[in-house]
Each structure stands twice: as C-alpha cells, then as structure tokens.
Amino acid sequence: ALQHAQRKVALRLHRGPGGDRLDGLRLTVDDDGPGVPPADREAVFDPFVTSRPQSGGTGLGLAVARRLAREHGGSLAVEDGPLEGARFTLWLPWAEA
C-alpha cells in the first residue's frame, strides 16, 4: 500500500464475520493510489505478476499472502476502497484456545 499510495494508507483490524463464515479477524488496508482495475483483481494474486518490475518487485508477495490465508481457513481479496484506491481485506478465522 505504501508503494502505491499517493499520501494516505489506512489500516483497520476488526473482529467479526468474513462473508458467510463465522467469527474471525479482518484486517483492511486502504490506500489512495490508482487502485486495481476489476479485470486485474484475480491476476494480482498469481505468482510472478507485478505492477512494479522496475523497482525489483517479484510478484510473489500477494500470491504467498493469499495462499497462507487460505491454508489457515481465511481469505485475501482486493476491491475498490473508500480512499479511492485499493482495499485489501485479509480475513482469518478466530482460533479457539
């Protein structure tokens, strides 16, 4: 988010549902950058897809993050955000001790 934002990044952590799932933790990261076009929203999670090859990005970060989220029963998604850039939402189920 910091690499794509113009001036603003907002982080929020909530305890609550994730779609049709029960209780969990939801982290949202919003920025005021250019956003992710709807046609590219699934592709950004593919390995080696990057929008910044000139800065040395490998395109692995989002792919690894989504895989880890799914392996723990969660999800990672991108949509339009309230700051007029992207919103990434990470949801992980609440683990009982």
Side-chain angles (χ1 to χ4, degrees):
L2 290 174
Q3 294 172 351
H4 294 280
Q6 300 299 311
R7 295 179 297 154
K8 297 178 186 176
V9 173
L11 302 172
R12 290 179 183 83
L13 184 63
H14 303 276
R15 181 176 177 182
D20 61 347
R21 300 186 187 158
L22 300 176
D23 208 12
L25 292 176
R26 187 173 23 137
L27 172 67
T28 58
V29 180
D30 298 311
D31 67 49
D32 65 346
V36 179
D40 297 337
R41 290 188 182 160
E42 281 304 308
V44 298
F45 295 106
D46 292 340
F48 307 112
V49 171
T50 181
S51 63
R52 46 185 193 91
Q54 69 281 3
S55 66
T58 62
L60 287 175
L62 290 173
V64 169
R66 181 180 254 186
R67 181 175 175 193
L68 288 171
R70 288 181 170 172
E71 286 179 1
H72 287 88
S75 61
L76 178 61
V78 63
E79 61 188 340
D80 290 333
L83 299 179
E84 299 186 16
R87 166 176 276 181
F88 283 84
T89 302
L90 171 67
W91 184 84
L92 295 170
W94 191 256
E96 295 298 325

